[in-house]
Amino acid sequence: MTGFDIMSSRWMSRICGVGVLLLLWLLMRQWGISLWVALLCLLWTALDLHFQYNANLGRMDTLNVLFLMACLLSFTAYQRDSKTWQAGLAGIFGALATLTHFIAIPTVLSLASVLFWQRRGQALLAFVLPLILGWLLWLTYAAQDWQSWLGQLGLQFARKGERGFLTLVGHLLLLQSLILLFDVFPINAPPLWFALVVASILSIWRRNSPLTGWQTACLVIAYFSSAMGSELWYIGWWTPFGYLLLSLWLNKTFEKLSRKFWLLVICL
C-alpha cells in the first residue's frame, strides 16, 4: 500500500510495535496482572532497546509478534469462556503468525497440543483448520517454483547449522545477553531470561507457579525458539514475551505490597 522501500517497511514495523504494546497490555490484564505491575512491565518493554531495534527494522519479526500476541489473547478468551469461535480466531492469528515467520510454529503447535491434551475436539478442529488452509495456500504458491523455495530455505538452515552443537547450547542460554550485561549495564542489557524460564519450569513441577500449565508451555517454547534462532533480532522478538513472564512473577511476589511501593519502583 505504501510502496516497496526501506522507510515504508520500517514504518510498518513501528506501527506493529505499537500494536504489540497494546496487545501485551490486554494480555497481561487478561492473565490477572495487577494494574501497576502491568504498567511497569509495559514501560520496560517499550524502553527495551532490543524491542525498539526490531520495531525500527524492516523485518517481519514485529509483525509476527503482533499475530502471535493476538493468538494468545484469543486463546486466553477461549480458556475462560470455552466458545469455539474464540479457538477458531486463535487459529486464524496462529496461521498468520506461522506464515509470517517459522519461529512461531513451535509456539502455535504447543497451543494445539494443549487443546488435544484437554480433549476439546471441536475447539481443536476450529484451531487447526485455519492452519491447514493457510499452509495449503502457501504450498500452492510455493509449488510455482519449488527449487527457489527449497534453495532459499536450505541456505537459511545450513547457515544456522554451521555453528555447531556447543554454539547452539550457548545461544540457548542467550549468552549474548551476558556479553551486553558486562558491556553497557544496565542500558543495553536484558534480564537474564534463562533463569526466569528455568524458575517457571521448576515452579510448575513443584505446583507453586504463578502460571498455568499451558501458559508455561507456551512461553518456555517461545523462549527456546528465539534462543535457537541465535540472531540479535530474535532477542527482540522474545522481549515482549519475556516481560509478560516477568509480570506474572512480579505479580505473585508483590501482590500484597502497597501502591506506595510501586510508585517508588516506577520512580527508580
Side-chain angles (χ1 to χ4, degrees), residues 17 21 24 39-53 55 239-240 243:
L21 293 175
L24 177 60
L39 178 61
L40 182 64
C41 290
L42 188 72
L43 290 173
W44 277 343
T45 306
L47 295 172
D48 190 287
L49 291 186
H50 292 99
F51 178 77
Q52 291 185 17
Y53 176 81
T239 296
Y243 284 109

Side-chain angles (χ1 to χ4, degrees), residues 128-160:
V128 170
L129 277 179
L131 295 172
I132 295 175
L133 177 61
W135 278 94
L136 283 176
L137 290 173
W138 183 86
L139 289 172
T140 301
Y141 178 64
Q144 299 176 79
D145 190 354
W146 276 116
Q147 289 184 345
S148 295
W149 280 106
L150 294 177
Q152 179 185 3
L153 293 176
L155 289 173
Q156 289 286 337
F157 286 108
R159 182 175 63 86
K160 294 182 182 299

Side-chain angles (χ1 to χ4, degrees), residues 253-264:
T253 305
F254 300 119
E255 59 186 1
K256 296 183 180 180
L257 296 179
S258 64
R259 288 188 177 183
K260 293 182 180 179
F261 171 82
W262 283 114
L263 289 172
L264 177 62

Side-chain angles (χ1 to χ4, degrees), residues 60-221:
M60 73 297 291
D61 304 275
T62 309
L63 177 62
N64 183 264
V65 176
L66 181 71
F67 286 141
L68 199 51
M69 282 284 180
C71 176
L72 286 177
L73 192 60
S74 303
F75 194 86
T76 300
Y78 171 75
Q79 292 294 320
R80 182 187 64 242
D81 301 330
S82 298
K83 295 181 179 179
T84 304
W85 68 266
Q86 295 169 330
L89 185 62
I92 291 173
F93 286 122
L96 291 171
T98 58
L99 290 167
T100 306
H101 198 299
F102 287 176
I103 195 174
I105 293 177
T107 306
V108 173
L109 291 180
S110 72
L111 297 179
S113 301
V114 168
L115 294 175
F116 178 79
W117 181 265
Q118 295 174 344
R119 297 182 180 179
R120 299 185 179 184
Q122 191 173 4
L124 177 61
L125 182 63
F127 184 85
V128 170
L129 277 179
L131 295 172
I132 295 175
L133 177 61
W135 278 94
L136 283 176
L137 290 173
W138 183 86
L139 289 172
T140 301
Y141 178 64
Q144 299 176 79
D145 190 354
W146 276 116
Q147 289 184 345
S148 295
W149 280 106
L150 294 177
Q152 179 185 3
L153 293 176
L155 289 173
Q156 289 286 337
F157 286 108
R159 182 175 63 86
K160 294 182 182 299
E162 290 175 352
R163 293 163 181 164
F165 177 74
L166 292 179
T167 304
L168 175 61
V169 172
H171 283 298
L172 288 178
L173 304 177
L174 282 185
L175 291 182
Q176 52 265 68
S177 299
L178 293 176
I179 295 173
L180 292 173
L181 182 66
F182 290 109
D183 184 21
V184 191
F185 179 82
I187 299 174
N188 211 17
L192 297 179
W193 298 122
F194 181 74
L196 200 59
V197 168
V198 171
S200 301
I201 296 173
L202 293 177
S203 65
I204 282 289
W205 179 53
R206 298 192 176 190
R207 299 183 179 180
N208 61 347
S209 175
L211 296 82
T212 63
W214 75 266
Q215 291 171 340
T216 303
C218 175
L219 292 178
V220 168
I221 289 174

